[in-house]
Amino acid sequence: MASSLRQNRGNQLLGLNFQELSLLVQSHKQPDYRARQLFEAIYTQRQADLESISTLPRNFRAILRDQGVEIGAPTIEKSFPSVDGTIRYLIAMTDGETVETVWMPEGDGGEEADGSEAGDETTEKGFDRATICVSSQIGCAVNCQFCLTAQLGVKRNLTAGEIIGQVIAVLNDRRVDMERHRIIIVFMGMGEPFLNYPEFMKAVRLLVEGVGFSESRMTVSTSGIVPRIYDFGSEPVRPKLAISLNAPNDQLRERIMPLNRKWNLEVLMQAARDFPLRNRERITFEYVLLRDVNDRLEHARQVVELLRGIRCKVNLIALNPGPGIAFATPDQERVHAFQQVLMAGGIPAFIRRPRGLDIYAACGQLKRTVA
Ligand code: SF4
């Protein structure tokens, strides 16, 4: 138990699973059902401090408090609302490090036709449907050349508690009712989730078992960490898989994503072909279009060949420009022409709406901590 608490940054409960909470409860000679009370208070009721857990006896709360035990929820330091309803949150961890988490009412179209059913329902007023984009690391080591986060390098991994804590902070801020609202989670914020695999997967399990998300309403995006794609495929509970493709051949992909030197397209595509898909599920391939670099029609035709035989769809994203990024945005006609080639080749292709451009919340723009 002590080691679980230590991993969890001090004496923090957020991020502990039911078994770990059971050990904590037993170590205090409390009845076993206290573990269930703690688990539900932290994850289902999303309580932010021990004092508000009224199901726990006062003296047990006092003992925990005296030992310095706390829930350890990250806090919203700032929020930047966009004219389109998107909100970019700057969320502070208990050690003062910050990450960014994005709320997108009605999503960005990226969830269409991937088997999540998330795009099927009609949206009524407000945010009956919304997407939360979650970070998995502080910074990122992968160094994709079109991404602002890459400029930071990686500072550290987030714990499971810090990953799930972003979701809880946003759900509470937006007053989300899990019974009523349809919320999708995408692990597409700062960082490469598969380079923080154990903590990322622990957060996923807690989101499903504790907070009440269904695995089919979560998607994780990887830049192509091939061994972890195989591990991920064998998980009993897992989100859907998205692969950040961005180029149709090794030469181009190495230029845009240096990671391709380690796992080239041949091994990446083999991992995609080997990936065990569920009923109705498709792999999403993300493709950031960079003007005159990877956006030619011949590239689109190469993508069709590359993905042939894989049950998949492609999300096209016109580059969101940013300072220090040496690429330009293709014009709309080019983006549509690229989409048409994919569709004609039998590959469902969707153009993602850029969200929160005015607040630097769009794809690849996170870690502009000053608006
Ligand atoms: S696109 Fe994703 S994997 Fe690539 S550098 Fe940015 S955050 Fe990291």
Side-chain angles (χ1 to χ4, degrees), residues 34 95 125 178 190 308 323:
R34 297 265 178 252
D95 67 350
K125 62 183 169 18
M178 290 297 290
M190 293 164 59
R308 196 175 290 289

Side-chain angles (χ1 to χ4, degrees), residues 18-31:
F18 182 69
Q19 289 71 20
E20 289 163 337
L21 290 172
S22 297
L23 289 175
L24 173 74
V25 161
Q26 283 163 17
S27 73
H28 286 87
K29 308 221 173 342
Q30 292 282 323

Side-chain angles (χ1 to χ4, degrees), residues 140 142-144 146-147 149-150 189-192 223:
C140 187
V142 176
N143 203 19
C144 303
F146 52 83
C147 173
T149 307
M190 293 164 59
E192 163 55 80
S223 54

Side-chain angles (χ1 to χ4, degrees), residues 224-265:
I225 313 292
V226 168
R228 295 294 83 74
I229 294 176
Y230 283 96
D231 292 343
F232 186 64
S234 64
E235 295 285 354
V237 173
R238 62 158 179 83
K240 291 181 276 90
L241 177 67
I243 294 175
S244 191
L245 181 64
N246 306 318
N249 59 61
D250 280 325
Q251 194 191 10
L252 200 46
R253 195 162 189 267
E254 274 178 25
R255 181 176 155 207
I256 302 170
M257 302 177 74
L259 171 101
N260 195 73
R261 285 187 206 113
K262 190 153 186 185
W263 293 291
N264 65 19
L265 280 172

Side-chain angles (χ1 to χ4, degrees), residues 36 115 123 156 184 194 205 212 217 231 245 253 284 326 337:
R36 178 58 58 192
T123 306
R156 69 168 172 83
I184 297 160
F194 282 6
R205 288 188 288 270
R217 289 186 186 273
D231 292 343
L245 181 64
R253 195 162 189 267
T284 299

Side-chain angles (χ1 to χ4, degrees), residues 146-217:
F146 52 83
C147 173
L148 276 180
T149 307
Q151 296 174 357
L152 298 170
V154 67
K155 273 191 160 174
R156 69 168 172 83
N157 282 335
L158 294 177
T159 64
E162 290 170 330
I163 296 171
I164 197 169
Q166 296 166 64
V167 177
I168 287 178
V170 173
L171 292 177
N172 286 346
D173 187 65
R174 296 288 90 208
R175 295 194 169 83
V176 169
D177 175 350
M178 290 297 290
E179 303 275 314
R180 201 159 64 83
H181 299 126
R182 289 173 177 267
I183 308 297
I184 297 160
I185 293 183
V186 294
F187 297 95
M188 299 183 183
M190 293 164 59
E192 163 55 80
F194 282 6
L195 290 181
N196 185 18
Y197 189 79
E199 294 297 307
F200 155 69
M201 278 309 302
K202 189 178 185 191
V204 163
R205 288 188 288 270
L206 289 169
L207 285 164
V208 172
E209 293 160 14
V211 185
F213 280 94
S214 121
E215 58 185 332
S216 66
R217 289 186 186 273

